[in-house]
Amino acid sequence: AKDSVMIAHNYTSLSLMYHNDLQDYTLGLRYALDALKILHSLKKKNQQAIWIATNAAAISYDDSNQPDKALEYHFKNLNNVGEDKDNLATTNNNIGNTYRKKKLFAKAEPYFIKALETHITQRGEFKNEYDLATVYNNLSGVNWDLDRPEKAKMYRDSAIHYSILSGKTEKLMDTYYEAYQMSEKNEDYKDAVGYLKQYVTVKDSAINSEREKIVYNLEVQ
């Protein structure tokens, strides 16, 4: 059909599949760069498609231990967000993540705060609880890195709150597990055990739910 934008979208989808589902960051990067090559060759630029492909390349660079290249692409991507506040928040959050991996915690924190502020002003009714939980988790972690345990706990409580509201099992599991690890490192063993129990409860619930779906599908068949 000679639809170059759709070809690029499919390359980006492959990139994200290899990155997110298969943890094959080499192929994830390859397909993201293929998508960008097509998108940048077009006379009429599709900023949203370029943002998605650039972000896909950046996160593959990040997870293949190339943080400087990841930052290069994330900072490039700030020019591609346009009016889309969600994209802006995601890019700032990802920049914070990469700085944190480089152990540049003081540099990471302002980008997490920017991401949080964007989500709050964009989502006055807090409809995007999943993204809020993600940023609060990151702020909790970076404040722990900066030796601010009380502030870290405050952000952790917000992360748990929005993880519950999101209704997403994997986000709730991540949040409880990070809360457990933080409490254990702080030698707050009572809280650590409590968070670990909640993590196990959510995990067991997810496993049971999946089993029920399998049984239901078999009965239907």
Side-chain angles (χ1 to χ4, degrees):
K2 297 181 180 178
D3 188 338
S4 297
V5 174
M6 187 53 68
I7 293 169
H9 272 307
N10 283 316
Y11 277 137
T12 304
S13 295
L14 282 167
S15 170
L16 293 171
M17 181 191 72
Y18 277 111
H19 176 275
N20 297 339
D21 301 326
L22 301 175
Q23 285 80 54
D24 186 333
Y25 308 126
T26 302
L27 278 176
L29 179 59
R30 173 187 146 189
Y31 283 114
L33 294 178
D34 284 346
L36 285 171
K37 187 176 179 181
I38 292 170
L39 291 166
H40 285 305
S41 72
L42 302 176
K43 288 182 180 178
K44 187 177 180 181
K45 304 301 181 188
N46 186 317
Q47 289 302 113
Q48 176 66 4
I50 291 172
W51 181 87
I52 297 169
T54 304
N55 187 63
I59 61 177
S60 285
Y61 274 127
D62 186 271
D63 285 316
S64 57
N65 201 28
Q66 299 181 68
D68 291 332
K69 290 294 289 184
L71 286 170
E72 177 190 333
Y73 274 70
H74 282 314
F75 279 116
K76 260 188 212 176
N77 227 11
L78 288 174
N79 297 319
N80 299 321
V81 295
E83 298 299 316
D84 193 314
K85 300 298 184 184
D86 285 335
N87 288 354
L88 177 62
T90 298
T91 301
N92 279 320
N93 182 67
N94 288 343
I95 291 170
N97 271 332
T98 304
Y99 274 134
R100 191 179 173 206
K101 284 184 179 180
K102 285 170 67 87
K103 299 191 183 302
L104 298 172
F105 307 127
K107 274 193 170 184
E109 186 186 23
Y111 287 97
F112 291 138
I113 291 172
K114 283 181 186 178
L116 179 63
E117 288 172 348
T118 303
H119 279 310
I120 289 174
T121 54
Q122 174 74 353
R123 305 282 186 176
E125 298 176 4
F126 300 110
K127 292 177 183 176
N128 203 339
E129 293 92 353
Y130 185 98
D131 287 343
L132 279 166
T134 299
V135 178
Y136 276 122
N137 253 333
N138 289 335
L139 278 166
S140 176
V142 82
N143 273 278
W144 178 261
D145 297 330
L146 290 165
D147 197 24
R148 302 174 190 155
E150 291 308 312
K151 208 169 181 182
K153 287 179 184 177
M154 179 188 73
Y155 284 125
R156 180 188 65 194
D157 290 344
S158 294
I160 292 169
H161 174 72
Y162 286 109
S163 294
I164 292 168
L165 287 181
S166 76
K168 301 294 183 183
T169 303
E170 75 278 5
K171 178 55 63 181
L172 196 53
M173 285 169 58
D174 286 347
T175 303
Y176 278 138
Y177 195 76
E178 287 183 28
Y180 148 68
Q181 288 182 311
M182 189 183 297
S183 298
E184 186 184 42
K185 286 176 185 174
N186 199 37
E187 298 183 358
D188 188 350
Y189 298 117
K190 184 178 178 182
D191 274 359
V193 170
Y195 287 126
L196 187 58
K197 282 181 178 178
Q198 287 172 302
Y199 165 79
V200 171
T201 299
V202 174
K203 186 177 180 181
D204 287 347
S205 174
I207 291 169
N208 290 335
S209 176
E210 189 59 34
R211 284 175 180 160
E212 287 170 8
K213 286 179 189 174
I214 292 169
V215 170
Y216 172 77
N217 289 332
L218 287 170
E219 285 175 345
V220 170
Q221 289 172 29

